[in-house]
Amino acid sequence: MQKKLNWEAFSGEDRNNILREIQNVISINDGCILNFNMFSDLALSLCVEIEEKKILGLHKALKSLLKISDLDLGIINQNSQKEWLLFINLSFSKGTGDLKMKVPEVPG
């Protein structure tokens, strides 16, 4: 059975820019985004699969971008290759609750 962690994160930056940076950080740390759900432009939830030994590096990298909940180092084995699931709930302070995407008109 895979172990799980839940993280709460917060960003005051532009949503589109920070999402690209988060995606890069997860990729650089050998994580894999399994699923995501957007809740307007106010929040996003991510499900990430990652090896246990890579969790600390990912947390440190995300902490440089976001305000994120603390990581309990007592539960992490830095030498383990077991897969973990990370559930990250990310809130955006600049959200309005009214996300609209412009779709260009297509002739025909």
Side-chain angles (χ1 to χ4, degrees):
M1 180 175 181
Q2 284 183 318
K3 292 191 177 183
K4 303 172 187 172
L5 283 174
N6 293 304
W7 292 344
E8 294 287 328
F10 173 82
S11 176
E13 301 297 321
D14 176 70
R15 182 179 54 85
N16 292 321
N17 292 337
I18 202 71
L19 289 177
R20 277 191 289 277
E21 291 183 45
I22 290 169
Q23 192 175 17
N24 288 337
V25 164
I26 291 170
S27 179
I28 289 168
N29 285 278
D30 297 325
C32 178
I33 298 174
L34 299 177
N35 193 13
F36 71 94
N37 291 309
M38 289 200 71
F39 305 102
S40 183
D41 60 344
L42 295 173
L44 168 79
S45 66
L46 291 170
C47 178
V48 176
E49 186 175 54
I50 191 167
E51 286 185 357
E52 186 172 2
K53 66 183 179 182
K54 305 272 185 164
I55 292 174
L56 180 59
L58 175 61
H59 188 268
K60 284 182 180 179
L62 288 175
K63 197 170 187 173
S64 70
L65 298 173
L66 311 165
K67 292 181 183 179
I68 191 165
S69 51
D70 291 332
L71 176 62
D72 180 3
L73 297 176
I75 63 170
I76 304 295
N77 178 355
Q78 292 293 319
N79 300 312
S80 174
Q81 294 182 356
K82 290 183 181 177
E83 297 290 328
W84 280 52
L85 289 177
L86 305 178
F87 297 99
I88 305 170
N89 183 17
L90 176 58
S91 299
F92 304 101
S93 67
K94 293 183 179 179
T96 63
D98 190 27
L99 177 64
K100 293 182 181 177
M101 304 284 274
K102 292 183 181 179
V103 178
E105 289 186 35
V106 179

